């Protein structure tokens, strides 16, 4: 049931929350991320080259979350 999200192997059953997509990176670089908070309290910030990729990954992951 593990899912690869930008290099992080994540078990959707262990996700407590998903944050919104937001820009990240250094000046001039257009990149995006969103927070994945695990049940253990860890925060993962997968990095994507743009908001469209981040949104697609977030939506795919959200679709795998248990009911």
């Amino acid at each position: 049931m593990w899912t690869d999200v930008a290099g992080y192997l994540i078990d959707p059953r262990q996700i407590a929350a998903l944050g919104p997509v937001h820009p990240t990176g250094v000046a001039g670089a257009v990149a995006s991320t969103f927070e994945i908070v695990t049940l253990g309290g860890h925060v993962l910030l997968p990095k994507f080259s743009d908001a469209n990729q981040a949104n697609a990954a977030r939506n795919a992951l959200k679709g795998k979350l248990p009911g």
Side-chain angles (χ1 to χ4, degrees):
M1 179 108 187
W2 293 87
T3 301
D4 185 331
V5 181
Y8 290 99
L9 280 178
I10 298 168
D11 181 348
R13 298 168 296 182
Q14 297 300 310
I15 293 175
L18 292 177
V21 170
H22 56 84
T24 186
V26 292
V30 178
S32 294
T33 190
F34 60 91
E35 287 187 359
I36 300 170
V37 182
T38 69
L39 294 176
H42 299 286
V43 177
L44 306 175
L45 293 168
K47 300 236 182 339
F48 300 88
S49 60
D50 60 42
N52 290 334
Q53 287 183 0
N55 275 315
R58 186 182 183 282
N59 290 338
L61 188 57
K62 187 174 182 181
K64 294 181 180 183
L65 295 180

